[in-house]
Amino acid sequence: QLLLVIHVTVLDANDNAPVFSQAVYKASLPENSPIGTVVITVSATDADEGVNGDVTYEFGHVTDEVMKIFSIDNKVGEIRVMDTVDYEVKASYEIRIKAKDGLGLSSYAQVIISITDVNDNAPVVSLKSLTNQIPENTPAGTEVGIINVQDRDSENNRQVRCSIQENVPFKLVPSIKNYYSLVTTGQLDRELVSDYNITITATDEGSPPLSSSKTIQLSVADINDNPPVFEEQSYSAYVSENNKPGSSLCTVSARDPDWRQNGTVIYSLLPGEVNGASVSSYLSVNGDTGVIHAVRSFDYEQFRSFKVQVMARDNGSPPLSSNVTVSVFISDVNDNSPQILYPAVEGSSFMTELVPKAAHGGSLVSKVIAVDADSGQNAWLSYHIVKATDPGLFRNTVELVLDKELDREKQKEINLLLTALDGGSPQRSGTVVIHLSVADINDNPPMFEEQSYSAYVSENNKPGSSLCAVSARDPDWRQNGTVIYSLLPGEVNGASVSSYLSVNGDTGVIHAVRSFDYEQFRSFKVQVMARDNGSPPLSSNVTVSVFISDVNDNSPQILYPAPEGSSFMTELVPKAAHGGSLVSKVIAVDADSGQNAWLSYHIVKATDPGLFSIDLHSGEIRTQRDISESDSMKQNLIVAVKDNGQPSLSATCSMYLLISDNLAEVPELKDISYDEKNSKLTSYLIIALVSVSTFFLTFIIIILGVRFCRRRKPRLLFDGAVAIPGAYLPPNYADVDGTGTLRSTYNYDAYLTTGSRTSDFKFVSSYNDNTLPADQTLKKSPTDFTDVFGVCDDSPEV
């Protein structure tokens, strides 16, 4: 079999015309769009293929105007702007568009282009009617012109607002559409503004808004509404009494702001009389120039001045006028001397004036009143102080004015010879003598003779005794210089100063109101015021320092040993104590000061007078010799403490000493009771009884003791620590001057060695009560020692 394949190609025939996507195209285009702007694009399709399907575009049957303004791209169908589009010229365009294929088949579409308006036209202001000259008396609200405003734009761009410049007496009143009336708003005045250039501005409501202006010229016509006005409110003319007739006196001048004949001024004298005669018989005035001339000579003795009225009138219709007063003053020759009216010149030309004291430079003291019947320079008076007590005190003026300050304390009276001279030729004068007394014012406060005062008084003084006297001087006069003294309020030691002192108001003597106590306070200060009796009173103050001196009114107070009754203190003295060893100390203070507090210590009675001694100034009790076995175990010392005052005061105390090496030996003596007078005898008897039997034994003990002491280090045999309890110090004791008897607590340590007969004394810084060893000082009640010491008949009274 044979298969035959045949390919048949169907050729396209141009049987389809181009078809537009829309039959009618609509587009909007703002006026004044840039050239080349694409307005719209048309589109057509052809169902054929190849060349038969290619579509081109062109305008079909359009006007030359359209061809000038628009163009079309024949390939893509874009319609572009080729020239300026103006809404005001044409608002829309209709264009026929043709689409054809390659073989000429075509179709048409309609394009409608609407031109949208933009605000490209400014409003135009035109003048329809105008009154060129407006009378200045035109009432407000008068219409003087009609204004028209036009805008070629559309819709909102055509809405127009019209305004007029400020500060002109005109306004715009809306009339019919696009018309305004120009009317007056106030009174016109040609003399202020003769011509107006009025600018009217019209502005549309477009975006952006456009505006235009027009200037209108208006002239104000003059009317005679202003009278002539003189340049001065009044005029003065001066003429000497020997003047020549026809001489000019002065010139008056008036101005009229009106125009032409309305502003022309004519001068004339108004009718009147001068000294009973017509004014025209004395003066005349030039009607055109306003110059006033004298018609005849004047006599100063008849009258010195007179007044006339001059009128200025314009040539308007009706005429307006105004008047001015011209004062004519006649000058005199110098034929009169000055007359002084005040101060009055009587007899010796003497008068009295009171001048306030301390008047400063420039102060007015008095006035001088003088007159001269002449005038002008002949009556110009000058005043001169020809002679004065103090030439530079016053100025040469009509008023007596001080050039410097017055002080009555330096100068009480002033005499002046004053002359008044005129300015004529020849010169004439008048003279007066003035006596001035300077009155006193209270301008000086009392001044104390010293810057401060000191008063010295001994304590225990008698109330009312005088301490010192203050004195102040016031240089003022009478009551202004009377001085009164008084104490200023204050406190002394918590009480009012008036409870301590008083001052005599007249003499300034200061008295003590009560007795002072040096131990309470030693000094104080008060303020004394000196006041005068002036009005207002003046015063000054001074400080008075009162110093209280000490008297010997306090006995010494013994702090250690404590007084009997509170505690009973006994010092232990080692049996091996050598001569000069410190065994105790008496401590005392005196509340007084200075030499009244210088204390001395004395042993007034002792169990064994030769065994102990006391230092005169320190109160230290030391052994005078070595302690022996024959010395009584109990030693009682009565110590007297005296101060250095006049008269001297004293106090006594008892010091109990126990010679023993060990406190354990004390209880063995509790049952021993003997009289102190027989203590030595008893000891001798005991020693005699046992001396024979114990001589050998004692010798052995001594030898052993010496060897034993050499091997051992020196041991503490005695510690006489003394502590002064704080409660023993007087509550108000204080030695400010550093001269008292005690300032702190002391601790004394005495060391004795068996290998030497020397003793060492050591000071230790302030000793505290809490550190005192309890086994070195016995503190018992007096009854506990009755058995040990027995009853002492010579116990001192403290």
Side-chain angles (χ1 to χ4, degrees):
Q1 293 181 353
L2 179 64
L3 178 62
L4 180 65
V5 178
I6 301 174
H7 294 278
V8 178
T9 301
V10 179
L11 299 175
D12 180 43
N14 188 21
D15 58 352
N16 293 293
V19 178
F20 282 95
S21 60
Q22 296 178 216
V24 178
Y25 290 89
K26 293 183 179 181
S28 62
L29 177 67
E31 65 174 331
N32 301 324
S33 294
I35 294 175
T37 301
V38 176
V39 180
I40 194 172
T41 300
V42 297
S43 177
T45 58
D46 193 319
D48 295 328
E49 295 180 355
V51 177
N52 296 332
D54 292 337
V55 179
T56 60
Y57 304 92
E58 62 183 24
F59 290 133
H61 306 292
V62 295
T63 63
D64 294 339
E65 180 184 14
V66 172
M67 293 294 292
K68 179 182 178 182
I69 296 175
F70 300 99
S71 69
I72 187 170
D73 188 302
N74 60 355
K75 295 294 184 181
V76 297
E78 289 181 346
I79 299 175
R80 297 178 180 270
V81 176
M82 302 302 295
D83 198 357
T84 302
V85 179
D86 191 350
Y87 174 83
E88 286 71 37
V89 175
K90 192 171 183 179
S92 63
Y93 295 90
E94 293 185 3
I95 304 174
R96 187 177 176 81
I97 304 299
K98 178 181 178 181
K100 63 179 181 178
D101 57 16
L103 295 180
L105 295 179
S106 63
S107 61
Y108 293 91
Q110 190 75 15
V111 177
I112 300 173
I113 301 175
S114 299
I115 308 301
T116 58
D117 183 46
V118 296
N119 192 30
D120 59 345
N121 292 284
V124 178
V125 180
S126 60
L127 186 63
K128 294 302 180 182
S129 64
L130 183 67
T131 303
N132 290 329
Q133 281 200 345
I134 308 169
E136 60 179 330
N137 61 349
T138 301
T142 302
E143 182 181 89
V144 296
I146 298 176
I147 308 299
N148 177 251
V149 182
Q150 296 291 335
D151 193 318
R152 294 176 58 197
D153 293 324
S154 66
E155 298 176 355
N156 291 336
N157 296 331
R158 187 178 292 175
Q159 302 299 320
V160 178
R161 293 177 285 104
C162 201
S163 61
I164 191 171
Q165 73 182 68
E166 297 180 354
N167 303 323
V168 294
F170 300 94
K171 68 177 180 178
L172 293 174
V173 179
S175 181
I176 60 177
K177 185 177 181 180
N178 298 331
Y179 285 90
Y180 296 87
S181 295
L182 180 64
V183 298
T184 60
T185 59
Q187 183 68 42
L188 302 177
D189 191 346
R190 186 187 180 281
E191 286 69 46
L192 296 178
V193 182
S194 59
D195 296 289
Y196 289 95
N197 291 321
I198 305 171
T199 300
I200 298 174
T201 302
T203 306
D204 60 27
E205 295 184 357
S207 179
L210 299 178
S211 64
S212 63
S213 302
K214 184 176 183 62
T215 301
I216 301 172
Q217 294 183 348
L218 292 175
S219 297
V220 181
D222 182 57
I223 62 173
N224 191 28
D225 59 345
N226 291 288
V229 178
F230 284 95
E231 293 181 353
E232 298 182 18
Q233 293 183 352
S234 63
Y235 290 85
S236 297
Y238 298 92
V239 58
S240 176
E241 61 179 339
N242 58 355
N243 67 298
K244 293 181 180 180
S247 58
S248 62
L249 304 184
C250 69
T251 300
V252 295
S253 179
R255 295 286 182 265
D256 193 323
D258 292 327
W259 198 39
R260 294 180 179 177
Q261 72 275 7
N262 293 334
T264 302
V265 179
I266 301 172
Y267 302 96
S268 61
L269 287 172
L270 292 179
E273 290 187 354
V274 175
N275 199 26
S278 173
V279 67
S280 58
S281 64
Y282 287 93
L283 300 176
S284 65
V285 62
N286 187 304
D288 296 327
T289 63
V291 177
I292 298 176
H293 298 273
V295 176
R296 64 179 183 180
S297 298
F298 300 103
D299 188 357
Y300 180 80
E301 281 67 37
Q302 289 184 1
F303 54 90
R304 301 183 179 184
S305 65
F306 60 92
K307 295 181 180 181
V308 296
Q309 295 287 323
V310 177
M311 179 180 69
R313 176 180 56 84
D314 60 26
N315 272 335
S317 180
L320 301 177
S321 64
S322 61
N323 303 332
V324 71
T325 299
V326 179
S327 300
V328 180
F329 298 94
I330 304 168
S331 61
D332 188 28
V333 294
N334 191 27
D335 56 351
N336 294 284
S337 298
Q339 293 183 356
I340 298 178
L341 304 180
Y342 183 84
V345 181
E346 298 179 359
S348 61
S349 301
F350 182 87
M351 56 92 59
T352 299
E353 286 282 340
L354 289 180
V355 180
K357 174 192 173 188
H360 295 279
S363 299
L364 175 65
V365 176
S366 179
K367 289 187 177 182
V368 178
I369 302 176
V371 295
D372 194 313
D374 298 325
S375 65
Q377 184 176 350
N378 296 328
W380 294 349
L381 301 180
S382 61
Y383 301 86
H384 304 273
I385 298 175
V386 179
K387 190 175 182 181
T389 306
D390 187 350
L393 189 59
F394 292 96
R395 302 174 189 172
N396 290 323
T397 62
V398 66
E399 298 175 336
L400 288 180
V401 178
L402 290 169
D403 252 0
K404 58 184 179 180
E405 183 176 335
L406 281 181
D407 192 344
R408 187 186 183 280
E409 285 70 47
K410 297 179 181 179
Q411 191 172 9
K412 299 180 181 179
E413 295 182 352
I414 303 168
N415 295 318
L416 302 174
L417 176 61
L418 188 139
T419 298
L421 299 176
D422 63 21
S425 181
Q427 199 173 40
R428 296 177 180 272
S429 64
T431 304
V432 66
V433 175
I434 302 174
H435 174 74
L436 302 174
S437 296
V438 182
D440 183 56
I441 63 173
N442 191 28
D443 61 340
N444 291 287
M447 298 300 295
F448 284 94
E449 295 180 354
E450 299 181 17
Q451 293 184 351
S452 62
Y453 290 84
S454 297
Y456 299 90
V457 59
S458 298
E459 64 174 330
N460 305 325
N461 60 294
K462 293 182 179 180
S465 58
S466 62
L467 305 185
C468 67
V470 295
S471 179
R473 296 289 181 264
D474 193 323
D476 293 325
W477 196 37
R478 292 181 179 174
Q479 72 274 10
N480 293 334
T482 302
V483 179
I484 301 174
Y485 304 94
S486 61
L487 286 174
L488 291 180
E491 288 190 356
V492 175
N493 201 29
S496 173
V497 67
S498 59
S499 64
Y500 287 90
L501 299 178
S502 66
V503 62
N504 190 302
D506 298 327
T507 63
V509 176
I510 298 176
H511 298 272
V513 175
R514 64 179 179 181
S515 180
F516 301 115
D517 187 357
Y518 177 84
E519 285 69 41
Q520 189 177 11
F521 55 89
R522 301 184 179 185
S523 64
F524 61 92
K525 294 182 180 180
V526 296
Q527 292 283 326
V528 178
M529 179 180 67
R531 176 182 57 84
D532 58 28
N533 268 335
S535 179
L538 301 178
S539 64
S540 61
N541 302 333
V542 72
T543 299
V544 178
S545 300
V546 179
F547 298 95
I548 304 168
S549 60
D550 183 47
V551 297
N552 193 28
D553 59 345
N554 290 282
S555 299
Q557 182 177 355
I558 297 174
L559 305 181
Y560 184 85
E564 294 185 10
S566 60
S567 63
F568 193 73
M569 302 183 68
T570 300
E571 297 288 349
L572 288 178
V573 180
K575 293 180 180 181
H578 297 291
S581 299
L582 176 65
V583 297
S584 186
K585 177 180 174 64
V586 177
I587 300 176
V589 295
D590 196 313
D592 295 323
S593 66
Q595 67 177 7
N596 294 330
W598 296 351
L599 302 181
S600 61
Y601 300 86
H602 308 273
I603 296 178
V604 296
K605 192 174 183 180
T607 302
D608 189 350
L611 182 57
F612 297 100
S613 65
I614 189 168
D615 187 272
L616 180 64
H617 302 294
S618 66
E620 294 178 350
I621 300 175
R622 296 179 180 271
T623 58
Q624 295 190 76
R625 56 179 175 79
D626 294 345
I627 301 296
S628 65
E629 293 293 338
S630 62
D631 291 326
S632 175
M633 179 182 294
K634 299 181 299 176
Q635 295 292 328
N636 183 17
L637 303 180
I638 298 177
V639 179
V641 183
K642 298 181 180 180
D643 60 25
N644 200 36
Q646 293 295 330
S648 177
L649 300 179
S650 64
T652 60
C653 67
S654 293
M655 176 67 71
Y656 297 97
L657 303 177
L658 185 63
I659 300 175
S660 176
D661 288 333
N662 193 345
L663 293 177
E665 299 177 0
V666 176
E668 299 176 357
L669 301 177
K670 286 184 178 180
D671 297 332
I672 301 176
S673 178
Y674 58 91
D675 189 274
E676 185 178 358
K677 295 180 181 180
N678 301 321
S679 60
K680 287 187 178 183
L681 179 59
T682 304
S683 299
Y684 293 153
L685 292 176
I686 295 173
I687 293 173
L689 292 175
V690 299
S691 60
V692 176
S693 59
T694 60
F695 175 79
F696 180 76
L697 181 61
T698 302
F699 180 76
I700 297 298
I701 293 174
I702 292 173
I703 292 175
L704 295 176
V706 170
R707 291 182 179 180
F708 180 76
C709 290
R710 288 178 181 178
R711 293 178 182 178
R712 292 186 57 188
K713 293 181 181 180
R715 65 181 180 88
L716 178 65
L717 298 180
F718 169 70
D719 186 358
V722 180
I724 305 173
Y728 289 161
L729 291 174
N732 60 349
Y733 177 75
D735 193 354
V736 177
D737 300 329
T739 59
T741 56
L742 183 64
R743 297 185 58 86
S744 61
T745 306
Y746 296 94
N747 179 27
Y748 296 90
D749 291 339
Y751 295 90
L752 300 180
T753 63
T754 58
S756 67
R757 298 186 60 82
T758 60
S759 62
D760 296 327
F761 179 70
K762 181 178 69 174
F763 287 95
V764 182
S765 59
S766 298
Y767 197 88
N768 193 311
D769 293 342
N770 296 330
T771 63
L772 183 65
D775 59 347
Q776 296 180 15
T777 300
L778 295 180
K779 294 186 179 180
K780 300 182 180 181
S781 63
T783 56
D784 294 337
F785 290 88
T786 303
D787 297 334
V788 179
F789 290 96
V791 180
C792 183
D793 297 337
D794 299 326
S795 298
E797 295 180 1
V798 181

